[in-house]
Amino acid sequence: MKIIPAGSIDRIELMQTFIRIVESGSLSATARQLGVSQPTISRRLQALENMLGQKLILRTTHALKLTDDGERCYRHAGQLVGNWHALEDDLTQTRDEPVGTLRVRAPHAFGQDQLIGPLVRWLKHSPELNIEWMLNDRTPDFVAENIDCAIQVGALSDPGLVAIQIAEVPRRIVATPDLLALAPELKTLPELAALPWLSLSTFYRTEVTLKNVHTGISQTITIHPRLSSDSIFAIHKAALSGLGVGLISSWVTEDDLAAGRLQEPLPEWQATALPVWLTYPWASYYPARMRHFLAMIKQVMPTLTGIRPAATDSSVRKN
């Protein structure tokens, strides 16, 4: 952000701080997110209240509460800040150049394997851009973690986000030939369920639903995992060791299936592919770094190994 000449108050900075206080719910959280001290946040809030001549936030020992004037201020603040950044981009001609720092959350496995190559190539062509690349499979808290956008796999739990489906991840039931030799006449799902299993707890635990690609019939089986983990890499290695049957994303198992290290016991029974989403909070304005990143990920994701384009375009927008 540009600094207003000395002797005056940076009103946009005060507005940004006020928005962050409201969305994070505390002065201390705002201080952590902005990398300043809590007294600095208190001074900014007081300066904004003095400038507007109104009390905006009532502070108690346990919570912050917006006054009626604070509610009105918050409604306008987002649009004002967005308009200011749009004006900066327009006048400084940085509208099409990604600059600054973008904070992104991505799934751990995707983020360190499939996506790091395209991300590095993109950064090499964007010398004024920095990325904070945070890998975590939990549902992101955009406010508390000060995240700009996220890549998420699977079902979404927050209907208030902008969400764009950009690809889907096919999954395969796999096991080693030695493990499948324990059931040489394996022909039915109950027989498959009777084998030792591995559970990728992020997506399935004790039940797996499969669909017959020939008949279209779906069936759910109950499994008894020898090992449960939230790491796809751990489940993959356990499957390769012969510990159990796993339902694993195709991009992880593709080479093993081709080499015969893993096999599909009942290939006509398939699990539903997992949707891949780009998610971010709705705003009236997004900086160039955000727009360019979203465009890059949309283009790259469906081309990655073991990933395919989304079956249908799907998006959700906060009302």
Side-chain angles (χ1 to χ4, degrees):
M1 177 188 298
K2 291 180 174 54
I3 303 300
I4 294 176
S8 61
I9 298 176
D10 189 336
R11 291 167 171 81
I12 298 299
E13 182 178 58
L14 297 184
M15 284 289 186
Q16 286 179 314
T17 300
F18 175 67
I19 292 170
R20 184 59 59 184
I21 291 171
V22 174
E23 293 181 347
S24 68
S26 74
L27 302 186
S28 58
T30 301
R32 288 193 300 271
Q33 292 174 10
L34 298 182
V36 299
S37 67
Q38 184 169 329
T40 296
I41 299 301
S42 296
R43 286 194 295 271
R44 290 181 186 176
L45 175 59
Q46 185 177 10
L48 182 61
E49 290 178 330
N50 291 340
M51 183 184 301
L52 297 175
Q54 304 292 339
K55 190 70 174 176
L56 302 177
I57 292 178
L58 298 176
R59 282 179 274 182
T60 68
T61 55
H62 301 292
L64 301 179
K65 179 178 174 58
L66 285 174
T67 64
D68 290 343
D69 291 321
E71 292 277 4
R72 288 193 290 273
C73 181
Y74 178 67
R75 286 199 299 269
H76 290 287
Q79 184 175 356
L80 288 170
V81 170
N83 288 341
W84 172 257
H85 286 312
L87 175 62
E88 280 191 314
D89 276 0
D90 189 43
L91 295 181
T92 59
Q93 297 182 347
T94 61
R95 179 171 42 196
D96 294 321
E97 296 297 328
V99 298
T101 298
L102 187 70
R103 294 173 55 85
V104 183
R105 268 277 299 273
H108 194 273
F110 259 151
Q112 74 175 26
D113 189 287
Q114 293 281 74
L115 289 175
I116 196 66
L119 182 68
V120 168
R121 290 192 292 272
W122 185 56
L123 282 170
K124 286 182 177 180
H125 289 89
S126 305
E128 297 185 51
L129 177 69
N130 302 308
I131 297 286
E132 291 191 25
W133 190 241
M134 294 162 285
L135 305 183
N136 198 304
D137 294 318
R138 298 191 307 271
T139 300
D141 186 329
F142 288 87
V143 174
E145 300 174 71
N146 195 22
I147 296 169
D148 295 309
C149 61
I151 299 165
Q152 294 181 251
V153 177
L156 300 178
S157 58
D158 188 347
L161 296 174
V162 178
I164 303 171
Q165 187 178 350
I166 54 175
E168 59 185 24
V169 183
R171 297 182 289 170
R172 298 286 181 265
I173 298 173
V174 295
T176 59
D178 288 344
L179 179 63
L180 295 178
L182 298 176
E185 302 299 323
L186 178 64
K187 294 181 180 179
T188 67
L189 288 184
E191 292 171 334
L192 178 65
L195 289 172
W197 270 76
L198 307 168
S199 169
L200 184 57
S201 56
T202 312
F203 300 109
Y204 68 95
R205 294 178 181 270
T206 60
E207 290 186 342
V208 173
T209 299
L210 304 170
K211 183 177 182 179
N212 190 296
V213 296
H214 303 304
T215 66
I217 296 174
S218 294
Q219 187 171 336
T220 299
I221 58 175
T222 300
I223 62 173
H224 302 283
R226 294 290 315 282
L227 171 69
S228 295
S229 175
D230 61 355
S231 167
I232 192 173
F233 291 143
I235 295 299
H236 176 227
K237 288 200 171 188
L240 285 172
S241 75
L243 182 63
V245 180
L247 175 57
I248 306 177
S249 299
S250 294
W251 68 270
V252 179
T253 61
E254 192 171 79
D255 290 342
D256 299 309
L257 288 168
R261 293 185 292 270
L262 293 174
Q263 295 178 351
E264 289 188 84
L266 296 174
E268 68 273 20
W269 290 96
Q270 299 286 327
T272 302
L274 296 173
V276 182
W277 305 89
L278 268 176
T279 61
Y280 46 94
W282 184 87
S284 59
Y285 172 79
Y286 300 103
R289 58 182 175 271
M290 176 88 152
R291 300 195 303 270
H292 281 250
F293 176 80
L294 298 179
M296 183 272 290
I297 289 296
K298 288 178 188 177
Q299 181 179 18
V300 164
M301 184 65 74
T303 69
L304 300 177
T305 300
I307 311 299
R308 65 191 185 200
T312 58
D313 293 331
S314 178
S315 63
V316 180
R317 178 172 175 171
K318 182 179 179 180
N319 293 326

